[in-house]
Amino acid sequence: MPKIIEIGRVLIPQEALQNRIAELGAALSADYAERDLAIVAILNGSFIFAADLLRAITLPATIDFMAISSYANHPKSGVVRITKDLSDSLMHRHVLLVEDIIDTGLTANYLLRVLRERQPASLTVCALLDKAARRLIDLPITYRGFEIPDVFVVGYGMDYQQLYRNLPHIAVLHSRET
Ligand code: IMP
């Protein structure tokens, strides 16, 4: 049965995103003032958020990228395939894992395990969106942009079948069968 995909209401407008990211940048700049901050952004979903967040941070900070894709036969395990690994070592650095959205928490939990093995001095999570109601695993999210309800969202880097990443705001996506 064919599906109809529709972009629904704007959940978070562009201005609210930018205001909240400025606040997160100010908090990170204060908290990491004496530390060597290494941002690790998870591709593809976090690339726009990470770029804006980095520009809102007033300290010297590095950014590196890890790209992941989920295994089609284990979609609920949180175990992901690293399709592009980091370029630099994280050893003894203060690492901030930057994610677009934390849903069940399984992916971030797996990534934290992978990053911990690289022996950073500290490891902290920053997520733009938190679907807290769907969490399956307890996860410390130290820096959070917005808590959102259990809806599928697109825009500002987040996709549905690789589309809609270019929306400047975050919108709800509806899909229904015809
Ligand atoms: P989790 O392992 O269930 O926490 O899923 C995290 C990943 O699922 C995110 O990094 C996104 O790539 C994807 N995801 C979860 N919810 C949404 C959504 O509403 N829109 C787009 N991607 C989503």
Side-chain angles (χ1 to χ4, degrees):
M1 209 180 271
K3 260 189 187 171
I4 295 191
I5 303 295
E6 286 166 342
I7 301 286
R9 72 197 155 94
V10 174
L11 188 65
I12 308 176
Q14 188 172 6
E15 197 185 347
L17 285 170
Q18 294 308 327
N19 290 342
R20 184 70 187 119
I21 290 165
E23 289 174 359
L24 289 173
L28 285 161
S29 302
D31 295 354
Y32 284 84
E34 304 298 324
R35 291 188 283 167
D36 173 28
L37 174 58
I39 293 175
V40 170
I42 305 304
L43 299 175
N44 293 336
S46 78
F47 78 108
I48 293 178
F49 172 46
D52 282 346
L53 185 68
L54 181 65
R55 282 178 286 191
I57 292 172
T58 53
L59 306 169
T62 63
I63 187 161
D64 202 352
F65 299 93
M66 183 181 266
I68 60 172
S69 72
S70 50
Y71 285 106
N73 43 351
H74 300 288
K76 299 271 184 274
S77 67
V79 177
V80 290
R81 193 159 53 93
I82 297 173
T83 53
K84 180 217 169 292
D85 207 339
L86 301 174
S87 304
D88 296 315
S89 163
L90 297 179
M91 190 161 318
H92 307 320
R93 304 207 56 204
H94 291 279
V95 173
L96 183 72
L97 172 64
V98 172
E99 269 278 26
D100 53 353
I101 178 163
I102 298 193
D103 185 8
T104 62
L106 293 171
T107 308
N109 186 58
Y110 177 77
L111 290 172
L112 286 173
R113 280 207 326 259
V114 168
L115 295 177
R116 229 172 260 126
E117 284 168 9
R118 311 210 176 165
Q119 300 176 44
S122 67
L123 181 56
T124 302
V125 178
C126 175
L128 178 64
L129 304 180
D130 178 9
K131 271 191 213 173
R134 285 185 35 95
R135 193 77 81 257
L136 292 179
I137 204 154
D138 193 26
L139 201 74
I141 307 177
T142 309
Y143 301 94
R144 171 197 340 248
F146 300 88
E147 186 172 324
I148 63 165
D150 180 11
V151 289
F152 195 87
V153 292
V154 292
Y156 197 67
M158 281 163 277
D159 75 307
Y160 171 74
Q161 296 188 348
Q162 301 304 331
L163 292 174
Y164 312 117
R165 294 192 199 275
N166 52 325
L167 293 176
H169 51 255
I170 290 175
V172 177
L173 190 93
H174 299 292
S175 96
R176 58 186 168 82
E177 317 241 297
T178 52

